[in-house]
Amino acid sequence: MRAKGAEMPGKDCVKVAVRVRPFNKRERDAGGRCIISMASSTITIQDPRNSQSPRSFCFDYAYWSHSGFTRDCSGLYVPEEPGGRYADQGSVFQDLGEGILENALQGYNATLLAYGQTGSGKSYSMVGYGPNKGLVPTLCDKLFQAIRANQDSRQCQVFFSMLEIYNEQVVDLLSRGSRSPGGLRVREEQQRGFYVEGLRRVPCDSAPQVEQLMEQGTRMRTTATTHMNANSSRSHMLIILQLKQIFSEESITKQSNINLVDLAGSERQRVSGSEADRLKEGTAINLSLTTLGNVISALADVAVGKKVVHIPYRDSVLTKLLQSALGGNSRTVMIAALSPADICYEESISTLRYAERAKRIQNRAVVNESPTERLVKELKAENARLLQRLSRLGQEGRRAEDETKELRRLLTHNELQIRAIQTLWEQHLQEALKDWEQQYATITQERRMMQMHPYILNINEDTQLSGVVKLFIQEGEWDIGLSDSSPRSISIRGLGIQERHAVFSNVQRRVYLTPLAGSNVIVNGTPISQKTELQHLDRLILGSNSTYLFIGYPSERGGDDWSRYDYDYFQSELAAAEGINLHSLCEEQTQGDSSAVPSQTDPSLLAVFYDYIKLMPMVAEANQMSQELHKGVEFKLEIKNLALSDSKGHDLEKEIAVRVTSLENKQVWLWSKAKFVNRKFLMEELYQQHHTERKGEGAARAPMPRDSDPFWDPLEPLLLGSAHLWLQSLAFRIALEEQLEVLGSEGTEEAILQAQLLPCSPTGLTLGEDDILIDPSELLGKRLDFQLVLDQCCGLRWVQQARNRGVQIGFRMFDSAQPLYTPAVWHNVNPLLDQRVHFTSLHTSQGLLEHLQTSALVLELWGLQEGCRDLVSSLEGVRMTPEGCFLIDHAGATETATTVDPGSELSCSLRALQQDVEELRNTNAALKTENNTLRDQLNTTRTGAEWVRGRSERRGSSLRPSCDAEFARALKVFYHSMTSVRVQLQRLRRHRPSEESDLLGLRLFVDEQGGLLRDFSELLEQSVSSLKQDVAAIVRRKRERSGIWS
């Protein structure tokens, strides 16, 4: 069922429709959640991280195609119930396509824009597949039906053009010649506006012919994207149908252009300030979509009455060609395609905002008509007058040669114009029919070959471009690669493809694939280096990312469903071979968080998995470009925060990052996803320039400055990993000494860090066992001092890999305003840190106490490289005591705290006063101690029963402190033993079998796991038993003492 908004006013506003597709296979498998709802023409979207703040948008049409459908016997998707809410392809065409067709027949220009992220359903709405035809083929069917129905009253001519815009270059997808360097040029004329010079216009007289041309253009698009190392999701495709209607009786010609535009994927990157790239954002590849957004925003501002000085039509090729569609002479419809999954929230809400701006645009459409037949009649009449004048000149016998020549020239020119007008259409149509016959013969030959031989089928990220290229493997040996010099060679293009890349052998109805030296060949996710027999539906990756599906002999095919082997399947298979799959990531999450529910998958985890799959081919291409351009840089995908947690022990949000390593000097960078994608665009531009120069098609350029090189970046400190120092001992004023494992982002051990937490006095003296607390609540409202001691870092993997490196430790205690960093240490695998930091809470609050009991101090290990700046502790906003201790717990410290300002006289005065106050407090404490001593001495002078009674009271009162101290010591021993138990538990969580383990390896793993479990059980039992024995002994001694003095 579709929902339609209010009718548009008299002005020609852009009409906007929104369509929500069903979950795709990845989203279903991962248990994706629908975050979009629809009521009438209103779309509501919920932020999966904050369901309390939904956003609503209203459009002209809203189509619910997410659920409530079934597939009939012919393969059509239809509503489950008559009148159901599901909007099928017919419903969409009825609202949008029929309006476009009606406008075109009336003589208006009409434009349909499809917008949305890659995989959101744009292509399905525009083209469709199988019997579920989209807007474009249905529009062509209806157009030629209308032409045949009105052929008595008008003569109609239809011209078809198809082009692609990638990296600001225009490619004619119907061109029969070689592609010109730099693409076709966009020109401007006063009457025509912007147009593509040299774009082929093919006459058509039937819908099947148009479909054939679309298939031809799609094939060309696949080849072009492979050749240019382009990604179809970043290219725009335009189909232009020119309809010319000649009305004989009225002597009027109406001409209209129908523009059908499939825009590039509208992915949005979440870029924080720290991820901003020093190099330009919005490269030529992104320029068209960025400029389109700017044009739409400017036109939307004009529509609401704002003064706009400039509308940037001329800033990109796409907006030049769409100028009439946006704010010009056209009736325009935009269909925005949405994914309903929670992991696509950022892209979906961006699409909705984009569409909301577009619906405000107002166009000025007019009927495009010209008096063509009247012109023909006038030319014929003028010819008749010229003939009469010539005959009169001949009869009068005059010799006006000049006048006679001029008259004959005019007569010849007019006759040529008449002949051109009347015969141009027929000639073009005959040429197009010849081409169509040749294409039909080629298709027939291809279908015959498919029934005789095995072949490989191209698989593309864009489903429209998948299955277009079929490379047949006939009997014998066939070289596959760039070279096409041999008659027994199969020519393919792509990054990383060698001149002779591999050899296919078809012997006795068996097909083998043999990689040649230096070539990359992957079969079913596994690289191969020797002759391998191929099976039906094997997946092949040649070079960096040329993906093919092997189709065996017809006898092997059966009724297999090939559709599941899409582009994502190839990449998921590659990721699984690297040990990255959704199951293992969920397992990692469950092991890291005992409260996780196994059946529920974290949306951030899904997003990371999809990002990993999406970036894998891009990383492979970047590595290949680095190799061919001799950059000496290697790229590798990493999952950031895969094994890391926050101070509470909760998993950190996982992200994809790309580790960049210089092979020459071992320098390392870590780029965010957004930064890498932007750099990849710039690498492609650099690679295209290099490719053009190598072919001799352009002038050689000067070497690129390092600051402009997309493969290089200034060095920055790298976060290598973190360790958790749990603070619970401080709540009992128990000293803690730990050897901490510093774990990297993916769980690797980066170093061992020796650290201590020492409760101390305000002057820094370490407290003894007598100061241990049984009840942490005794700290509330009192002063708490402790020191963090970082002794040594051992086994630094970062420095082992390259000795010219250094490290720093960073940490932030409780509510400190700024992180603190230790001084940098260089060139040492086991450096001594010898750092001691004193922290003070003047009045311990409940918040600090809860933090100590439930949280850890996260110690971050930062890696430094030569030429990299050190991390410096900032004292801005940091509070300190007069003794130089760092103040924490600002909620409790409302007095005696000052902000560090060394240059302030007031600060110095306050510090002096605080020192005086502290000295008075110390003096007071000393006097109290002396007073207590004198009181005890006075008690000893008492006689008789008073002395006995006094002694008994003192004995009873001293019994409690003695028992408390013993219990505190037992608690301290138990706490330290439980630290060993926690380390053993962490070791158990990280212990996993290898992905390549065979049966013997699994048995060894089970034995090791059993041993670790026994050790863990013994440690735990020993710790608990020791505590029980200590407590029992304390209770027994207390009873004995009570019995003696009772």
Side-chain angles (χ1 to χ4, degrees):
M1 178 182 178
R2 63 196 184 275
K4 180 178 177 181
E7 289 296 327
M8 300 301 290
K11 296 179 181 179
D12 290 318
C13 292
V14 172
K15 292 188 177 183
V16 178
V18 174
R19 191 177 191 186
V20 183
R21 65 157 172 78
F23 285 137
N24 58 29
K25 182 178 182 298
R26 291 188 308 180
E27 294 160 351
R28 286 195 305 271
D29 292 346
R33 184 169 60 89
C34 179
I35 57 171
I36 293 178
S37 59
M38 186 181 296
S40 184
S41 58
T42 301
I43 298 282
T44 301
I45 182 170
Q46 288 188 341
D47 187 340
R49 293 160 299 189
N50 182 13
S51 58
Q52 302 302 317
S53 57
R55 290 288 309 276
S56 295
F57 301 84
C58 187
F59 299 102
D60 300 293
Y61 297 95
Y63 298 105
W64 182 262
S65 301
H66 174 63
S67 59
F69 62 91
T70 185
R71 191 171 185 173
D72 66 12
C73 56
S74 63
L76 277 174
Y77 292 109
V78 295
E80 286 180 334
E81 300 176 358
R85 66 186 306 212
Y86 175 73
D88 58 12
Q89 297 283 61
S91 303
V92 176
F93 180 80
Q94 183 179 341
D95 289 336
L96 306 181
E98 287 185 356
I100 291 173
L101 179 60
E102 183 181 348
N103 288 328
L105 292 172
Q106 290 175 2
Y108 293 100
N109 292 334
T111 301
L112 174 63
L113 301 169
Y115 183 83
Q117 73 177 104
T118 303
S120 60
K122 297 194 309 292
S123 297
Y124 179 74
S125 294
M126 290 290 283
V127 180
Y129 63 85
N132 298 281
K133 291 187 176 181
L135 285 164
V136 177
T138 308
L139 179 67
C140 294
D141 284 340
K142 299 291 184 182
L143 173 62
F144 285 104
Q145 288 177 18
I147 289 173
R148 287 192 294 271
N150 296 284
Q151 60 185 355
D152 296 335
S153 61
R154 69 192 76 170
Q155 178 188 354
C156 293
Q157 301 173 2
V158 177
F159 291 90
F160 180 90
S161 300
M162 190 173 179
L163 62 91
E164 181 182 42
I165 301 173
Y166 176 81
N167 198 12
E168 286 300 281
Q169 295 184 11
V170 179
V171 179
D172 186 351
L173 297 178
L174 300 180
S175 174
R176 288 174 292 190
S178 59
R179 185 174 62 87
S180 59
L184 301 179
R185 301 188 63 180
V186 176
R187 303 280 191 180
E188 183 180 16
E189 281 187 3
Q190 186 173 2
Q191 296 297 326
R192 295 175 61 183
F194 290 105
Y195 68 96
V196 180
E197 184 181 46
L199 182 66
R200 188 177 176 210
R201 297 166 63 242
V202 181
C204 300
D205 62 352
S206 67
Q209 190 178 357
V210 171
E211 290 186 17
Q212 178 59 46
L213 288 169
M214 286 179 60
E215 186 175 334
Q216 177 186 341
T218 303
R219 184 186 298 269
M220 175 67 179
R221 189 183 184 197
T222 305
T223 307
T225 54
T226 304
H227 179 73
M228 295 172 64
N229 182 35
N231 188 320
S232 64
S233 67
R234 299 196 302 274
S235 66
H236 313 282
M237 184 186 70
L238 279 74
I239 292 176
I240 305 170
L241 286 169
Q242 292 182 335
L243 173 62
K244 185 176 182 180
Q245 302 174 87
I246 303 171
F247 297 85
S248 303
E249 295 182 2
E250 296 86 355
S251 299
I252 293 294
T253 296
K254 292 182 180 180
Q255 184 165 314
S256 54
N257 289 345
I258 305 173
N259 299 309
L260 306 170
V261 187
D262 189 353
L263 295 170
S266 62
E267 284 74 12
R268 289 290 179 269
Q269 309 292 346
R270 288 180 290 173
V271 184
S272 65
S274 62
E275 292 177 339
D277 196 349
R278 63 181 180 85
L279 296 182
K280 61 177 180 176
E281 301 281 352
T283 61
I285 293 174
N286 289 327
L287 181 62
S288 289
L289 207 57
T290 304
T291 306
L292 180 61
N294 295 337
V295 167
I296 288 176
S297 295
L299 291 171
D301 290 342
V302 170
V304 296
K306 291 185 180 180
K307 184 177 181 181
V308 177
V309 178
H310 172 65
I311 298 174
Y313 288 116
R314 298 175 180 273
D315 289 0
S316 76
V317 169
L318 178 68
T319 48
K320 286 178 182 178
L321 297 179
L322 293 182
Q323 182 174 6
S324 63
L326 299 170
N329 178 23
S330 178
R331 288 183 169 171
T332 303
V333 174
M334 173 185 281
I335 181 166
L338 296 179
S339 164
D342 46 6
I343 59 172
C344 299
Y345 169 77
E346 295 290 339
E347 290 84 358
S348 294
I349 196 165
S350 173
T351 300
L352 289 169
R353 288 172 180 152
Y354 204 93
E356 188 178 41
R357 292 198 303 271
K359 73 177 185 180
R360 302 182 195 145
I361 298 174
Q362 297 176 356
N363 291 345
R364 300 176 299 278
V366 296
V367 175
N368 304 298
E369 60 181 13
S370 59
T372 306
E373 293 299 323
R374 191 179 305 157
L375 175 62
V376 173
K377 290 180 180 179
E378 289 174 357
L379 288 171
K380 288 182 177 180
E382 186 179 356
N383 280 2
R385 288 195 299 274
L386 290 173
L387 287 171
Q388 288 179 1
R389 288 184 62 186
L390 283 172
S391 63
R392 283 201 303 272
L393 284 173
Q395 292 173 359
E396 294 173 2
R398 298 179 181 178
R399 298 294 181 185
E401 293 182 3
D402 292 342
E403 186 176 2
T404 302
K405 288 180 180 179
E406 179 63 21
L407 289 174
R408 291 189 181 280
R409 188 189 66 78
L410 288 172
L411 182 63
T412 303
H413 177 72
N414 288 348
E415 287 177 348
L416 287 174
Q417 277 191 287
I418 294 170
R419 191 178 300 115
I421 291 173
Q422 292 179 337
T423 64
L424 188 60
W425 165 250
E426 286 81 0
Q427 290 175 355
H428 283 321
L429 190 59
Q430 288 300 319
E431 291 176 5
L433 286 174
K434 288 181 182 178
D435 286 345
W436 187 80
E437 288 173 359
Q438 291 176 358
Q439 291 289 332
Y440 183 77
T442 302
I443 292 172
T444 304
Q445 174 69 11
E446 183 180 87
R447 288 174 179 169
R448 189 163 50 246
M449 295 278 285
M450 289 169 62
Q451 299 304 317
M452 297 170 57
H453 303 288
Y455 58 92
I456 57 175
L457 191 71
N458 81 300
I459 302 297
N460 196 282
E461 183 179 7
D462 187 341
T463 53
Q464 269 189 281
L465 306 185
S466 288
V468 174
V469 176
K470 302 175 184 69
L471 303 175
F472 295 95
I473 306 168
Q474 301 181 52
E475 291 186 359
E477 290 194 348
W478 296 82
D479 292 342
I480 186 167
L482 295 174
S483 175
D484 57 358
S485 56
S486 168
R488 299 192 69 81
S489 62
I490 301 173
S491 179
I492 61 173
R493 304 284 177 187
L495 263 177
I497 301 296
Q498 311 295 323
E499 285 292 320
R500 292 182 68 241
H501 196 84
V503 177
F504 280 106
S505 305
N506 186 347
V507 181
Q508 296 180 351
R509 300 182 69 85
R510 287 186 158 189
V511 179
Y512 301 89
L513 177 60
T514 307
L516 298 180
S519 64
N520 181 45
V521 178
I522 297 174
V523 177
N524 300 335
T526 305
I528 64 169
S529 57
Q530 56 189 5
K531 188 174 184 179
T532 303
E533 183 177 357
L534 298 180
Q535 305 296 327
H536 177 55
L537 299 182
D538 274 353
R539 283 77 61 201
L540 314 180
I541 300 180
L542 308 179
S544 296
N545 195 37
S546 298
T547 49
Y548 295 92
L549 184 66
F550 174 70
I551 308 299
Y553 275 98
S555 58
E556 304 173 43
R557 297 172 193 173
D560 300 320
D561 180 16
W562 305 350
S563 62
R564 70 189 185 100
Y565 297 109
D566 57 5
Y567 188 79
D568 284 344
Y569 189 98
F570 278 66
Q571 303 307 326
S572 299
E573 195 170 49
L574 267 181
E578 296 180 6
I580 303 296
N581 55 64
L582 199 54
H583 175 73
S584 65
L585 291 179
C586 293
E587 191 176 72
E588 183 84 35
Q589 179 195 36
T590 305
Q591 291 186 357
D593 184 2
S594 59
S595 63
V597 180
S599 61
Q600 295 179 347
T601 306
D602 182 4
S604 69
L605 210 57
L606 293 176
V608 163
F609 180 62
Y610 296 155
D611 283 347
Y612 195 97
I613 288 175
K614 185 173 183 179
L615 290 184
M616 278 183 64
M618 298 180 69
V619 167
E621 291 167 2
N623 279 322
Q624 185 63 39
M625 286 188 282
S626 171
Q627 182 179 334
E628 293 189 27
L629 296 174
H630 306 291
K631 293 295 182 179
V633 173
E634 183 181 62
F635 300 89
K636 182 183 177 184
L637 277 176
E638 287 188 0
I639 301 181
K640 196 175 176 182
N641 301 331
L642 181 62
L644 301 185
S645 55
D646 62 12
S647 61
K648 298 285 187 183
H650 300 150
D651 288 344
L652 292 174
E653 184 174 355
K654 295 161 183 61
E655 299 175 4
I656 289 295
V658 179
R659 179 175 289 265
V660 188
T661 305
S662 171
L663 301 178
E664 180 181 358
N665 51 28
K666 303 300 181 184
Q667 292 178 336
V668 179
W669 300 266
L670 198 66
W671 289 352
S672 67
K673 171 192 168 186
K675 186 172 187 176
F676 170 73
V677 170
N678 182 61
R679 290 298 180 90
K680 171 68 164 42
F681 294 162
L682 296 173
M683 292 173 198
E684 288 178 15
E685 291 182 5
L686 183 64
Y687 182 81
Q688 292 300 329
Q689 294 169 8
H690 169 76
H691 195 66
T692 303
E693 292 168 8
R694 193 171 59 181
K695 282 188 167 184
E697 297 175 353
R701 302 191 176 208
M704 174 175 284
R706 189 176 69 168
D707 288 346
S708 303
D709 191 346
F711 291 88
W712 180 86
D713 233 11
L715 292 172
E716 294 182 350
L718 295 179
L719 178 60
L720 303 178
S722 63
H724 284 61
L725 183 61
W726 291 94
L727 304 173
Q728 189 177 14
S729 64
L730 292 177
F732 299 92
R733 289 209 297 224
I734 298 175
L736 176 67
E737 184 175 357
E738 285 268 33
Q739 286 194 343
L740 305 170
E741 284 184 300
V742 181
L743 296 180
S745 185
E746 296 186 338
T748 54
E749 184 182 292
E750 296 292 334
I752 299 294
L753 179 61
Q754 296 178 4
Q756 299 181 63
L757 282 175
L758 303 176
C760 63
S761 68
T763 58
L765 295 176
T766 304
L767 300 181
E769 293 181 350
D770 292 338
D771 298 296
I772 294 175
L773 299 177
I774 301 301
D775 184 3
S777 63
E778 295 180 37
L779 284 175
L780 287 174
K782 296 181 181 179
R783 175 167 177 151
L784 173 65
D785 289 88
F786 63 92
Q787 292 179 339
L788 169 67
V789 181
L790 301 176
D791 296 315
Q792 188 176 10
C793 209
C794 302
L796 281 168
R797 200 163 69 100
W798 171 251
V799 181
Q800 287 173 354
Q801 294 170 349
R803 288 282 179 168
N804 61 345
R805 293 173 174 174
V807 294
Q808 288 180 270
I809 305 293
F811 51 89
R812 178 180 294 181
M813 179 65 73
F814 189 43
D815 57 358
S816 298
Q818 301 290 341
L820 301 176
Y821 299 98
T822 63
V825 287
W826 292 83
H827 319 304
N828 196 336
V829 177
N830 305 303
L832 289 172
L833 302 175
D834 196 23
Q835 291 299 305
R836 186 181 296 262
V837 185
H838 191 137
F839 293 97
T840 298
S841 171
L842 296 177
H843 300 279
T844 304
S845 68
Q846 183 66 39
L848 174 59
L849 194 58
E850 290 178 358
H851 180 78
L852 295 179
Q853 292 177 299
T854 61
S855 302
L857 176 64
V858 180
L859 300 168
E860 296 178 337
L861 178 64
W862 290 87
L864 306 176
Q865 305 169 78
E866 285 188 348
C868 168
R869 57 178 176 81
D870 293 358
L871 293 165
V872 180
S873 302
S874 171
L875 296 181
E876 181 181 355
V878 175
R879 294 170 159 243
M880 300 184 73
T881 66
E883 299 85 3
C885 307
F886 288 92
L887 271 177
I888 59 172
D889 197 14
H890 299 153
T894 56
E895 302 174 358
T896 71
T898 61
T899 302
V900 177
D901 186 2
S904 171
E905 293 182 2
L906 178 61
S907 175
C908 294
S909 301
L910 286 173
R911 284 189 178 184
L913 287 172
Q914 287 174 343
Q915 289 175 357
D916 293 339
V917 170
E918 194 64 32
E919 287 176 2
L920 289 172
R921 284 179 177 170
N922 293 337
T923 303
N924 188 27
L927 289 172
K928 283 183 178 179
T929 303
E930 186 177 356
N931 188 21
N932 291 333
T933 303
L934 290 172
R935 186 178 296 163
D936 291 340
Q937 291 175 358
L938 180 62
N939 288 336
T940 59
T941 62
R942 296 180 180 177
T943 61
E946 291 180 355
W947 179 84
V948 174
R949 188 168 54 251
R951 182 178 178 184
S952 177
E953 289 175 356
R954 284 195 300 275
R955 185 78 177 188
S957 62
S958 65
L959 180 63
R960 181 179 299 276
S962 175
C963 290
D964 287 350
E966 290 177 357
F967 186 69
R969 282 192 289 271
L971 188 63
K972 179 181 178 182
V973 172
F974 176 72
Y975 186 82
H976 283 293
S977 64
M978 286 305 293
T979 300
S980 302
V981 172
R982 183 187 293 116
V983 170
Q984 185 69 9
L985 180 59
Q986 291 175 348
R987 188 175 293 114
L988 267 171
R989 284 178 173 172
R990 291 195 303 272
H991 188 238
R992 294 180 185 172
S994 170
E995 293 287 340
E996 293 82 17
S997 296
D998 55 9
L999 184 58
L1000 179 60
L1002 289 175
R1003 285 177 178 170
L1004 290 174
F1005 167 76
V1006 170
D1007 292 341
E1008 292 173 3
Q1009 189 80 347
L1012 289 173
L1013 282 170
R1014 282 192 298 273
D1015 293 344
F1016 174 73
S1017 177
E1018 290 173 1
L1019 273 174
L1020 184 59
E1021 187 175 350
Q1022 184 179 357
S1023 300
V1024 175
S1025 176
S1026 177
L1027 180 63
K1028 286 180 179 179
Q1029 291 173 6
D1030 290 342
V1031 171
I1034 292 169
V1035 171
R1036 186 172 59 253
R1037 285 195 293 271
K1038 181 177 179 181
R1039 288 176 178 172
E1040 289 172 354
R1041 291 170 184 171
S1042 300
I1044 291 173
W1045 295 101
S1046 58

